[in-house]
Amino acid sequence: MSKLILFWCLFLFLMFCETTIAQNYRNAKAYINDFGKNELFMKESLMEYSTSIIDASPDARVQNTLERIYTKLEDINVNLLKNDIGVSGDFDLRDSFIKLNNKTITLLKNKSLKLNDYRVQSGLDYSEIFKNFAYKESEIAKYYSEILAYETAKRDFGIKYKIVIRSFNKRNVFEYDAYQNLIFYKLNVLDDKLIQLFKYRNSDDIQECINFMTSVAEESLIKTDIYKDDFVDKSLNDINIEFINFMLTQNETLLPLYQQYVSVYEDFQKIKTKFLETNEVIKVEDYNNEVRRYNDVKNRFFDSLYENQIKKAELLKRWYTTNSDFLKRNIEFEDLYEKFTNLD
């Protein structure tokens, strides 16, 4: 999952990158065409990386590739500042790209968009958990706004120099995948907290966690309804809807069983305490009936929890596969250079 999360952000981060050759351009079209060549170059250089992410290559390989890439981005920025002379002193396009590139480098290094740290996040208080959710959602929105700002600068450059430039001005597959991943992430964090709480016998804590999960699940269903028409391929949206509904059903099923288990446990402890404190004689048959009752209720809860976890593991596996397949089907490694500008 960690590799897949890095994939959607990293590939999009870099599909806008360019390398720069120091030269005096004859005209604006020659200058912008180098942007097209370099954009294509960067996309092709990431083919191996993105394939390794989707095919679940070892973490060490992915991390090494990641480090090479953001080092390359830093080198590109240095080169741009040193050698890119713009067009007749016009640095707007260059500066817009550097701004985007710096944001990309920051996000890659500080891992603010990391979406697989369920166990760490689930150990936090709810206020911190939801603060983290809001932060990640904000970072996603800000980054894609930065990309659109770069695309706007590219379009404005074309208008200024009377060149028609292909530019992106709507949500693309990686942004869509990012928001779908965020839905999945939020529910997994809260679910991890819930499963940890099941180890203890506190119905109030379980009810509180389930209330938060229900709220997030209902909000997520609204979002999937908004996203449903963004792509013809609805597979990722559909699997998220299935996952959300699974979580809602899970909680509706397990909560009453858990509450009954806690209640019977407390009753049983009272019987044992009363016997120990008062030395009151309890018929063996009555005591054994209480033991059987307690064990029956406890086993029903833990058997249901176990079966639920098996089904959930199967669903998670299908979710990861669906996410990878969605990206494979919807990423177009097109020859941007041929389409970057409308040449005469």
Side-chain angles (χ1 to χ4, degrees):
M1 182 62 178
S2 61
K3 300 170 186 174
L4 188 58
I5 301 305
L6 284 172
F7 169 54
W8 63 252
C9 59
L10 181 58
F11 190 85
L12 181 57
F13 295 159
L14 297 173
M15 67 184 290
F16 298 103
C17 297
E18 301 95 356
T19 56
T20 301
I21 302 172
Q23 58 177 294
N24 291 313
Y25 293 100
R26 298 183 310 278
N27 53 45
K29 183 170 287 188
Y31 179 80
I32 198 65
N33 278 344
D34 266 351
F35 271 73
K37 292 175 185 178
N38 294 321
E39 194 168 303
L40 175 61
F41 170 79
M42 290 303 296
K43 287 187 68 175
E44 290 176 338
S45 71
L46 289 168
M47 282 285 287
E48 179 182 358
Y49 175 78
S50 56
T51 300
S52 72
I53 297 294
I54 292 175
D55 293 340
S57 296
D59 286 335
R61 177 186 170 189
V62 174
Q63 184 60 33
N64 288 338
T65 305
L66 174 62
E67 290 175 4
R68 279 202 318 273
I69 288 173
Y70 68 64
T71 298
K72 177 66 173 178
L73 297 183
E74 291 173 331
D75 292 341
I76 288 173
N77 271 2
V78 171
N79 188 45
L80 283 167
L81 289 170
K82 181 179 179 180
N83 298 315
D84 189 330
I85 62 171
V87 177
S88 302
D90 183 347
F91 299 108
D92 288 350
L93 188 58
R94 182 203 70 176
D95 292 346
S96 180
F97 170 73
I98 290 175
K99 185 179 179 182
L100 172 62
N101 222 14
N102 282 332
K103 181 66 174 177
T104 301
I105 293 166
T106 298
L107 292 180
L108 291 179
K109 286 188 172 182
N110 69 19
K111 297 181 173 63
S112 61
L113 295 182
K114 186 176 183 181
L115 295 176
N116 69 323
D117 53 341
Y118 310 135
R119 181 55 53 87
V120 173
Q121 293 299 323
S122 67
L124 302 175
D125 293 336
Y126 291 110
S127 60
E128 289 299 314
I129 289 174
F130 282 93
K131 180 179 178 182
N132 177 57
F133 289 168
Y135 171 70
K136 290 181 182 295
E137 193 153 6
S138 173
E139 287 298 292
I140 290 172
K142 285 192 293 186
Y143 186 75
Y144 285 96
S145 294
E146 200 69 60
I147 288 174
L148 288 178
Y150 169 67
E151 290 296 310
T152 298
K154 195 162 62 174
R155 182 202 63 197
D156 291 346
F157 181 93
I159 293 173
K160 185 186 301 183
Y161 295 100
K162 297 181 174 57
I163 305 169
V164 178
I165 301 174
R166 291 184 70 249
S167 62
F168 168 77
N169 58 6
K170 60 182 179 180
R171 178 178 296 172
N172 87 359
V173 63
F174 297 98
E175 181 183 11
Y176 174 84
D177 192 72
Y179 284 113
Q180 293 282 9
N181 271 268
L182 190 59
I183 288 174
F184 184 71
Y185 172 76
K186 289 179 179 181
L187 286 170
N188 270 295
V189 169
L190 291 172
D191 182 63
D192 193 87
K193 192 174 191 70
L194 179 67
I195 299 304
Q196 296 303 313
L197 289 172
F198 276 140
K199 296 177 181 179
Y200 311 99
R201 287 176 287 269
N202 190 319
S203 294
D204 291 341
D205 287 349
I206 293 294
Q207 184 67 67
E208 181 182 37
C209 187
I210 286 178
N211 289 343
F212 280 122
M213 285 186 70
T214 300
S215 177
V216 170
E218 290 173 349
E219 175 189 331
S220 298
L221 285 174
I222 293 172
K223 289 181 177 178
T224 55
D225 189 59
I226 294 172
Y227 302 156
K228 67 182 179 181
D229 295 323
D230 284 2
F231 283 86
V232 174
D233 184 345
K234 302 182 186 299
S235 59
L236 185 54
N237 202 56
D238 289 344
I239 196 73
N240 250 349
I241 292 172
E242 183 179 351
F243 181 67
I244 295 164
N245 287 325
F246 178 91
M247 288 300 188
L248 290 170
T249 300
Q250 162 193 283
N251 296 346
E252 290 171 357
T253 301
L254 293 179
L255 178 59
L257 293 174
Y258 176 81
Q259 290 172 330
Q260 186 180 15
Y261 158 60
V262 172
S263 177
V264 171
Y265 171 83
E266 291 173 349
D267 290 344
F268 185 57
Q269 295 307 306
K270 289 176 183 177
I271 292 173
K272 292 202 317 185
T273 300
K274 183 177 180 180
F275 172 72
L276 292 173
E277 288 179 350
T278 65
N279 206 23
E280 182 178 318
V281 177
I282 300 177
K283 291 181 180 180
V284 173
E285 184 179 353
D286 291 342
Y287 183 79
N288 286 341
N289 285 336
E290 289 300 320
V291 171
R292 281 193 293 270
R293 176 171 174 258
Y294 167 66
N295 285 335
D296 178 62
V297 171
K298 180 182 71 172
N299 290 337
R300 274 194 287 128
F301 167 68
F302 282 104
D303 287 348
S304 296
L305 178 60
Y306 177 73
E307 292 172 4
N308 179 83
Q309 293 302 91
I310 290 177
K311 292 178 182 177
K312 187 190 301 176
E314 293 172 349
L315 177 55
L316 292 176
K317 185 177 180 180
R318 285 198 295 112
W319 191 96
Y320 298 141
T321 300
T322 300
N323 197 19
S324 293
D325 290 345
F326 174 83
L327 288 169
K328 287 178 183 178
R329 285 193 299 269
N330 292 282
I331 296 169
E332 294 183 4
F333 293 100
E334 60 190 359
D335 188 344
L336 278 183
Y337 177 54
E338 294 298 324
K339 302 178 181 179
F340 198 77
T341 62
N342 289 352
L343 300 177
D344 295 333

